Every structure is written in structure tokens, then in C-alpha cells.
Amino acid sequence: QACLWFRNLKRRLPGPFAWPVVGNALQLGQMPHITFSKLAKKYGDVFQIRLGCRDIVVLNGDRVIREALVQHSSEFAGRPNFVSFQVVSGGRSLTFMNYSKRWRMHRKLAQTTIRAFSSANSQTKKAFEQQITAEATELVEIFLKLSSQGQYFNPAHEVTVAAANVICALCFGRRYGHDDVEFRALLHQMDQFGQTVGAGSLVDVMPWLQFFPNPVRTTFRNFKRLNQEFFTFVKSKVDEHRETFDPEITRDMSDAVIRGISEADVELTDDYTESTVTDLIGAGMDTVSTALHWIVLLLAKHPDIQRKLHELIDRVVGRDRLPSVEDRPHMPYLDAFIYETMRFTSFVPVTIPHSTTSDVSVNGLSIPKDTVVFVNQFSVNHDPLIWRDPQVFDPSRFIDESGSLDRDLTNNVLIFSAGKRRCIGDQVAKVEIFLFFAILLHQCSFEKCPDQDFSLNYSYGLTLKPWDYRVTAKLRGNLLKQA
Ligand code: HEM
């Protein structure tokens, strides 16, 4: 206790008093990102908390976060040595690995692979868009089936399968049926992934909780199991690719990673292949599906906005064909709706925890090497100095006087993070979300369940998951298929 008192006295940064053993864990509450924003009002945008055995610096607000992640990008590019991080992607995860020469090579390989299959050449770009269109039209049919007798359904699981199928098609060259029981079960488990790696997860700051029966130990055991099963699934597909690999043909991302690793420095051994593919699938699935889930709920919650979107899409696209990426510049209000969904929900409220790679100073305050850092993206997206009425959902805030998308304002939305650890799938994600959204909107109208309080509550984790809200979908005009 005396030691803790001394530590509290000695602390370099402002922050709330930390209790022995638990520190500030009990103060975090159900929604740590909101607690952090409140604490920032009291202690400033850079403050310190203690969780279990770890001192943690929390960064809030646009100016401070960009100063840290962009101006001091290398100093903030580390990841802490959390127990949960060692379990992901066979222990060789690019996302959860600390900053090093090997990590830089690994990230570059993953970036090159994503680019090659999304934007680098017009043929793969077109194939990617066709894959999304096929998945989106199937999702429309499933939604209509689930609503056939006017029933209300929870779209969560179907959007997860659809998003997983897009990334599986990119990585393995194949998709899975919405009724594939094994695939659904695997994805269902992965839903819980974010509960353990989100900022504030207790097992990482109180690792001793693993050693006696308690709810944290149970959650962590489930987390280990689901990661093992997911990794085994991906590895079996990558092994099939190894057996049939032809250096003359790159069929999909798995082939591209196999080739990339075979040509890489000794730092990246063969077993990094399955880890890279696991990372890409994991990162690309949960985030995109959560975005789509929120979009459907927000459409149902705001019928006036939905009507305006329907009028726009009918005017630009008409009723005889499906929307495509080429329509995007002519429908800025659709992008405005997507940006507002990302801002308003901030569905990745706090980035994956960072750590400092050397002593560094931010906002005039010194932070020592190896400090765990939480980056509160929510605080930027709800800052009243940047956003008028931040708690109000209003896509038109992103449309300027000339009717175009206000790029200065969209750049203020922080959901893909910034700096050296910035998401590498942001462009892929934006195309995917746009096409799914445009096709769902073109083909369906969504209504909320009248018996349900639609206040859009959610559970906290790496991504914010809406509670069990139900909607119904109605077909608008004819059911269209890809040409
Ligand atoms: C990392 C957001 C989609 C691949 C991240 C991080 C965030 C994020 C917040 C952590 C950054 C940090 O720790 O500072 C999102 C959102 C998405 C999305 C909101 C969709 C709406 C994707 C997709 C892919 C992807 C589609 C791949 C196909 C990755 C990878 C990392 C990452 C590999 C780890 C980067 C690193 O640690 O160096 N993403 N992401 N993400 N994302 Fe995304």
C-alpha cells in the first residue's frame, strides 16, 4: 500500500486517484470511452489511470491524438505485451505485434497484398466490386425472406456472414452459404473477440485473474479457444493453397501472401502466411459487419432520412439497374450518411491499445517508454468544438453549400486511427460499405419493430455492438440481380 501511495505521489501526469490492486478499474463502468471523455474534461486531454498493475495514459481530442500518433508516430507505434495479444493469429499477429523491423516488413506485405486485390489494377478492382455486389444482392434476398410474413429480424448475423464472405472470397477465392452451419458457428464465436482485446479488458491488466475461477478467466478461456479454432480454419485453407500453388498464377490473397513471404527477408518465416491471412480476415470482417449493422438500424430509426436517400438513389440510378461504385460521386448524401454513422456511433471507440517505444512528450507532458496508451477516438467524434450538436444523428452536416461532400469535415472523423498503426484496410472498407449500403437501400426499405424501444444501446468492446434490435425489410420495385 505504501508503495502504491508513493506511486500515486510520484505520477507524472494528472488523473484520478488509483486504488490498491484494482487501480481505476471499477471507475471505467460499462462504457469506458464515455468515462474517458468525462475524465478528460476534469484532468485534460492527456491523463493517466491505473488498471490493475498497469499505468495507462489516455489520449483524447483531435489535437492531442494527432500530435501523438502523427507527429510522434514511431514513439506511439508500439503494442503492449498483453496476454490476450499473444493468443491472436497463432502468436504472430501483425495487428497485435510490437513495433520492430519484422513488424514493418509484415505490415508492408499485408498492405501490398490488399492493394493488389482492391485498387492496384482495374481487373482485380472490378472483380472485388462484383464480389461485393453478388454478396449484397444475396443479403437482400435473405432480408426479404426473413421479412416474408412481415416478421421483424435482427440483421446482425446475416451482415456478419456477408462481410466474412467478401473477405473470404478475397483471401481464399471462395465464399460460404448463409446456411453453412459450421461457418456460422465459427463467425458467431468471433463476435466475442472484441470483448477481450478492447481497451480496458481486465485479463491484460490483471493477468493473475487467469489463475482462479472467475468470469474474467472464463471469458479469456473462450477467447483462447475461439482464436485457436479460427486460426486452425484459416491454416487449413492456406495449406490447401500451398499444395496447389502455381508460381505463375496468383489466384487470391492467400497465394499473394505465400509468394510475398517466400520472397521476403528471413525475418518472416513461412508460418507468418496463415497469421497474415487470419489477421486480414479478422480485421476485415468484424469492423465492416458492425458498420453495416449500424447502417440498417439507423435507416430504420430515421425514416425521413431514409426517404431522402431513396429519392436520391432513384433519381441517380433509376429502377432498372443496381447501383455501382461509379454512381458514388453523384450521391454525396450516401457518403454523408456513412460518415455520420461512423462519427455518431464511433463503433471503434478506442483503438487497439498502443504503447510507447521510447520516452516522449505530448501536450507538454512526458510519457515514459513502454507506457500503455489508449486512444479515445470517440472523444474526437463527439467534440462539441468540432461538431455542432454531436449527440444528434444528422448526415447533412457533411454536405457543403454547393451540395458536395465536405472533405474537411469528413477528414475530422476518426475511426481508422492515424499514424503508423492506422488501419490498412480503410479504402477496401469504404468501397465495401458504400456498395452494400447502396444496394440494400436501392432494393429495400427498412422499418423498425414498433414494439421495441429503438434507443440504439450497445455493448462495449473493440467494436460497439448494437443490442438485439429487430427490423423488417420491404422490396422496392423489382428484385434485381447483377448483370
Ligand atoms: C487496424 C478500424 C476495416 C485491416 C485498425 C485499427 C482501427 C481500425 C481503429 C487500429 C488502429 C490503431 O491501433 O491505432 C477499422 C474500421 C474498419 C476497418 C473502422 C471498417 C469500417 C479493415 C479491413 C481490413 C483491416 C477491411 C483488411 C482487409 C486492419 C489491420 C490493422 C487494422 C491489418 C492492424 C494495423 C497495425 O497494427 O499495424 N483498423 N478497420 N481493417 N486494420 Fe482496420
Side-chain angles (χ1 to χ4, degrees):
Q1 281 220 344
C3 168
L4 264 165
W5 253 104
F6 182 67
R7 265 201 218 125
N8 269 313
L9 286 176
K10 205 174 70 141
R11 59 192 306 143
R12 290 173 186 81
L13 301 179
F17 173 79
W19 294 98
V21 186
V22 289
N24 303 103
L26 302 177
Q27 282 157 270
L28 288 191
Q30 299 291 311
M31 300 298 152
H33 54 298
I34 295 175
T35 308
F36 295 152
S37 295
K38 286 185 185 151
L39 289 173
K41 284 201 182 115
K42 188 164 175 193
Y43 296 105
D45 281 342
V46 183
F47 65 84
Q48 181 177 320
I49 56 170
R50 193 169 171 79
L51 292 181
C53 58
R54 297 279 195 151
D55 283 323
I56 292 166
V57 168
V58 185
L59 302 180
N60 298 270
D62 189 68
R63 191 184 54 77
V64 154
I65 291 179
R66 289 189 202 274
E67 181 190 342
L69 300 191
V70 181
Q71 286 176 38
H72 300 290
S73 57
S74 304
E75 290 92 331
F76 281 92
R79 295 277 190 225
N81 57 347
F82 283 168
V83 282
S84 66
F85 289 13
Q86 319 305 319
V87 175
V88 184
S89 301
R92 286 176 292 276
S93 164
L94 144 72
T95 312
F96 295 94
M97 193 197 282
N98 203 355
Y99 187 59
S100 63
K101 182 178 166 217
R102 180 189 281 165
W103 169 80
R104 282 199 298 273
M105 289 177 60
H106 200 174
R107 182 170 160 110
K108 205 163 155 206
L109 173 85
Q111 260 172 326
T112 314
T113 307
I114 292 181
R115 213 172 300 126
F117 281 87
S118 52
S119 56
N121 90 43
S122 55
Q123 224 179 328
T124 53
K125 189 164 167 258
K126 200 77 221 150
F128 173 54
E129 288 163 16
Q130 279 171 352
Q131 184 61 45
I132 304 167
T133 304
E135 248 0 284
T137 50
E138 174 140 8
L139 191 60
V140 166
E141 282 183 41
I142 286 167
F143 279 178
L144 293 173
K145 212 159 114 195
L146 291 170
S147 314
S148 59
Q149 246 91 77
Q151 299 104 313
Y152 293 88
F153 65 96
N154 178 351
H157 208 61
E158 305 309 331
V159 292
T160 306
V161 176
N165 267 337
V166 171
I167 192 79
C168 281
L170 278 175
C171 288
F172 306 139
R174 68 157 294 187
R175 63 183 293 279
Y176 296 83
H178 280 254
D179 46 8
D180 184 320
V181 180
E182 256 177 80
F183 190 58
R184 284 180 82 96
L186 190 74
L187 299 184
H188 193 62
Q189 287 192 57
M190 286 309 283
D191 249 22
Q192 295 155 25
F193 179 86
Q195 284 170 15
T196 303
V197 290
S201 150
L202 290 183
V203 70
D204 289 323
V205 290
M206 300 180 206
W208 39 266
L209 284 170
Q210 292 168 77
F211 305 116
F212 63 93
N214 67 78
V216 172
R217 178 164 91 161
T218 311
T219 309
F220 188 56
R221 285 187 170 178
N222 287 341
F223 178 78
K224 280 206 271 197
R225 206 197 52 239
L226 71 89
N227 273 283
Q228 270 154 10
E229 284 177 18
F230 191 59
F231 185 66
T232 307
F233 165 78
V234 175
K235 188 171 171 348
S236 69
K237 306 289 161 219
V238 171
D239 283 342
E240 284 169 19
H241 277 71
R242 281 195 181 102
E243 280 158 26
T244 51
F245 184 72
D246 175 351
E248 301 296 317
I249 310 164
T250 307
R251 295 165 293 187
D252 46 38
M253 284 195 183
S254 292
D255 273 359
V257 179
I258 292 174
R259 176 198 304 279
I261 291 208
S262 70
E263 290 164 1
D265 209 312
V266 282
E267 294 265 2
L268 288 179
T269 45
D270 254 8
D271 41 12
Y272 276 84
T273 311
E274 37 271 42
S275 303
T276 313
V277 179
T278 309
D279 265 19
L280 293 179
I281 298 181
M285 189 175 78
D286 186 41
T287 46
V288 171
S289 63
T290 307
L292 296 176
H293 190 179
W294 279 112
I295 283 174
V296 171
L297 296 186
L298 285 161
L299 282 173
K301 184 167 169 78
H302 297 280
D304 291 353
I305 298 177
Q306 189 177 171
R307 204 168 305 119
K308 198 172 156 185
L309 285 160
H310 279 148
E311 281 165 18
L312 173 65
I313 208 162
D314 288 351
R315 199 169 60 243
V316 173
V317 177
R319 300 295 323 151
D320 301 330
R321 65 168 178 91
L322 288 170
S324 74
V325 172
E326 282 76 48
D327 298 312
R328 196 169 171 190
H330 311 295
M331 301 192 290
Y333 194 59
L334 263 73
D335 268 318
F337 187 93
I338 295 171
Y339 276 105
E340 181 64 345
T341 302
M342 298 196 289
R343 183 203 69 80
F344 174 78
T345 66
S346 289
F347 63 83
V348 188
V350 182
T351 69
I352 298 165
H354 286 230
S355 76
T356 47
T357 55
S358 61
D359 294 353
V360 59
S361 144
V362 173
N363 208 26
L365 296 161
S366 339
I367 305 172
K369 181 174 188 280
D370 292 329
T371 303
V372 179
V373 179
F374 289 172
V375 180
N376 186 6
Q377 302 201 108
F378 172 90
S379 70
V380 177
N381 297 333
H382 284 257
D383 182 347
L385 296 176
I386 308 179
W387 311 101
R388 167 183 38 87
D389 300 328
Q391 71 292 354
V392 174
F393 181 79
D394 177 14
S396 66
R397 67 173 79 241
F398 289 103
I399 301 293
D400 66 16
E401 289 108 44
S402 68
S404 308
L405 198 63
D406 185 336
R407 287 281 168 202
D408 290 336
L409 217 52
T410 58
N411 286 339
N412 284 338
V413 177
L414 192 67
I415 191 105
F416 296 105
S417 189
K420 290 232 186 296
R421 286 284 179 170
R422 189 189 150 85
C423 175
I424 58 175
D426 58 340
Q427 294 310 322
V428 168
K430 283 183 192 166
V431 171
E432 211 181 320
I433 293 170
F434 172 83
L435 257 186
F436 265 112
F437 173 41
I439 291 170
L440 288 176
L441 190 67
H442 184 265
Q443 294 280 273
C444 302
S445 61
F446 294 94
E447 279 170 35
K448 63 187 166 112
C449 179
D451 307 338
Q452 244 185 341
D453 158 31
F454 228 71
S455 46
L456 299 187
N457 286 321
Y458 50 79
S459 54
Y460 176 84
L462 185 57
T463 52
L464 300 179
K465 304 259 180 232
W467 284 2
D468 179 18
Y469 293 105
R470 279 164 296 133
V471 297
T472 192
K474 290 197 177 120
L475 180 64
R476 303 180 66 242
N478 296 330
L479 188 62
L480 299 179
K481 287 266 186 203
Q482 190 162 210

